């Protein structure tokens, strides 16, 4: 009997020590490394993961090329289309989703900005990143029907379209915050829907706060990290070491806004004004309209 008790006690001690070691290793692996993910540190991500446990879950629609939820490590609540639902051939939607809401894993040290986000996959872009205006409008209207809090549109079109603008207005009238990429137009025009007054237009900066060389100029509300960005890459993006563009800056902006909504620091009605409190002027660029109101941060 004594031998059995001793064995049981020894087993419990060893198991406890093993669990403690695994916990320390897991925590060490998940510490933010600014050298490997400069973007997290630039937006003050470090202290915000645990503080969100008791908050409300923010619903984010991603209008894009689809999301491979298993590889992106996100929870997709619903999809706009069931066609090829796990086949994001382009890889763009999966990368955007991972930046916004990827969960921690032992596989790597990558994590999204807002891992508890509730994701709605408005998968309309094809393998080349194209969609008709009708398809985009349908995705916006579907997002409205799902009563999401945020719509992420990491793409744009050159020309205005009344059908698109009406759909955008309908969404914002329903207190949905729309965040869209300003565009990679070689310093030229801002694309639609980012150009609409109702939409938050996002441009991209690098680690040194320089504007992305292809960023659009025109109507810009905020800048966010968008050069040499870490993300989960599949499909046509799988061979790229890092990602750059206003698309990825938009994902960062959407996730930051989700956290601020979660923490009740902003609301869906007065966000245009209150978001200015979380926009930090870039040193030396305070009066440069290409930076909008500055770098969007969590705090």
């Amino acid at each position: 009997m004594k031998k059995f008790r001793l064995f049981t006690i020894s087993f419990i001690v060893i198991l406890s020590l093993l669990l403690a070691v695994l916990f320390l290793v897991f925590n060490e692996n998940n510490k933010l490394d600014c050298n490997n993910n400069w973007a997290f540190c630039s937006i003050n991500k470090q202290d915000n993961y645990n503080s969100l446990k008791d908050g409300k879950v923010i619903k984010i629609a991603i209008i894009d090329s689809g999301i491979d939820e298993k590889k992106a490590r996100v929870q997709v609540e619903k999809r706009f289309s069931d066609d090829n639902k796990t086949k994001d051939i382009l890889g763009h939607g999966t990368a955007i989703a991972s930046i916004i809401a990827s969960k921690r894993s032992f596989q790597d040290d990558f994590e999204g900005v807002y891992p508890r986000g509730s994701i709605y996959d408005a998968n309309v872009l094809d393998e080349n990143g194209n969609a008709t205006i009708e398809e985009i409008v349908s995705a916006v209207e579907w997002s409205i029907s799902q009563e999401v809090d945020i719509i992420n549109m990491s793409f744009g079109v050159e020309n205005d379209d009344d059908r698109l603008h009406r759909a955008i207005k309908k969404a914002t009238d329903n207190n949905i915050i729309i965040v869209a990429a300003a565009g990679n137009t070689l310093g030229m025009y801002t694309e639609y829907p980012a150009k609409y007054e109702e939409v938050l237009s996002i441009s991209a900066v690098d680690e040194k706060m320089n504007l992305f060389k292809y960023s659009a100029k025109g109507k810009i509300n905020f800048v966010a990290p968008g050069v040499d960005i870490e993300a989960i890459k599949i499909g046509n993006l799988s061979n790229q070491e890092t990602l750059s563009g206003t698309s990825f800056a938009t994902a960062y902006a959407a996730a930051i806004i989700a956290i601020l909504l979660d923490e009740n620091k902003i609301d869906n009605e007065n966000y245009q004004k209150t978001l200015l409190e979380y926009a930090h002027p870039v040193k030396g660029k305070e009066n440069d309209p290409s930076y909008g109101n500055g770098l969007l941060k969590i705090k």
Side-chain angles (χ1 to χ4, degrees):
M1 196 69 175
K2 283 185 177 180
K3 288 183 179 179
F4 178 74
R5 285 177 180 169
L6 286 172
F7 173 78
T8 303
I9 292 170
S10 299
F11 176 77
I12 291 172
V13 170
I14 292 170
L15 182 61
S16 299
L17 289 171
L18 180 60
L19 289 172
V21 170
L22 287 172
F23 177 78
L24 290 171
V25 169
F26 182 75
N27 277 350
E28 185 63 31
N29 286 340
N30 282 285
K31 285 182 179 178
L32 290 177
D33 184 348
C34 294
N35 293 321
N36 290 327
N37 196 342
W38 68 270
F40 268 16
C41 298
S42 74
I43 63 169
N44 295 332
K45 157 71 176 167
Q46 300 97 311
D47 300 321
N48 284 276
Y49 182 79
N50 291 326
S51 68
L52 300 172
K53 288 183 177 178
D54 298 325
K56 60 184 177 182
V57 176
I58 303 303
K59 298 164 67 173
I60 306 164
I62 299 175
I63 301 180
D64 216 290
S65 59
I67 300 167
D68 187 325
E69 61 180 318
K70 184 176 181 181
K71 291 180 179 177
R73 303 200 299 267
V74 301
Q75 180 63 46
V76 173
E77 300 295 337
K78 289 186 179 180
R79 283 189 173 84
F80 173 68
S81 171
D82 288 330
D83 295 340
N84 299 319
K85 63 181 181 181
T86 61
K87 295 181 180 179
D88 177 16
I89 298 172
L90 180 61
H92 194 270
T94 296
I96 295 300
S98 72
I99 290 170
I100 293 173
S102 185
K103 293 176 175 59
R104 292 178 179 180
S105 170
F106 282 110
Q107 298 173 23
D108 51 51
D109 60 358
F110 181 78
E111 178 186 52
V113 180
Y114 182 59
R116 56 187 260 107
S118 181
I119 302 300
Y120 288 72
D121 181 9
N123 47 340
V124 294
L125 303 187
D126 64 19
E127 64 273 17
N128 297 311
N130 298 320
T132 65
I133 290 295
E134 290 84 359
E135 288 170 330
I136 297 170
V137 167
S138 293
V140 173
E141 291 178 341
W142 175 81
S143 301
I144 296 169
S145 72
Q146 301 305 310
E147 298 181 343
V148 300
D149 299 288
I150 300 168
I151 296 177
N152 185 99
M153 303 179 76
S154 287
F155 64 92
V157 296
E158 181 178 350
N159 298 314
D160 185 13
D161 190 289
D162 287 341
R163 294 166 295 174
L164 177 60
H165 199 184
R166 284 196 300 270
I168 293 296
K169 286 180 177 179
K170 182 179 177 181
T172 55
D173 285 345
N174 280 272
N175 295 325
I176 297 174
I177 300 173
I178 302 181
V179 190
N184 307 323
T185 61
L186 299 171
M188 297 173 67
Y189 53 88
T190 296
E191 293 184 316
Y192 295 96
K195 195 170 183 177
Y196 295 134
E197 182 182 354
E198 299 86 357
V199 176
L200 296 177
S201 173
I202 309 300
S203 192
V205 291
D206 64 16
E207 184 175 4
K208 295 181 179 179
M209 295 297 112
N210 295 313
L211 202 67
F212 178 49
K213 60 184 178 180
Y214 298 133
S215 285
K217 293 185 179 180
K219 186 237 175 190
I220 307 293
N221 291 101
F222 303 103
V223 295
V227 181
D228 295 331
I229 296 300
E230 295 292 333
I232 293 175
K233 301 176 287 293
I234 67 168
N236 295 350
L237 301 182
S238 58
N239 293 326
Q240 297 192 34
E241 185 174 347
T242 56
L243 303 173
S244 298
T246 59
S247 287
F248 310 108
T250 301
Y252 264 96
I256 292 168
I257 291 168
I259 289 176
L260 296 175
L261 284 171
D262 192 318
E263 295 185 328
N264 295 314
K265 292 180 177 177
I266 64 172
D267 60 52
N268 290 70
E269 294 184 8
N270 301 310
Y271 64 89
Q272 291 270 14
K273 182 178 179 181
T274 51
L275 267 178
L276 297 177
E277 299 174 21
Y278 300 93
H280 297 249
V282 175
K283 187 176 181 181
K285 304 293 183 180
E286 293 88 349
N287 298 315
D288 188 339
S290 300
Y291 285 76
N293 294 297
L295 178 69
L296 205 55
K297 294 187 180 185
I298 296 169
K299 58 182 179 180

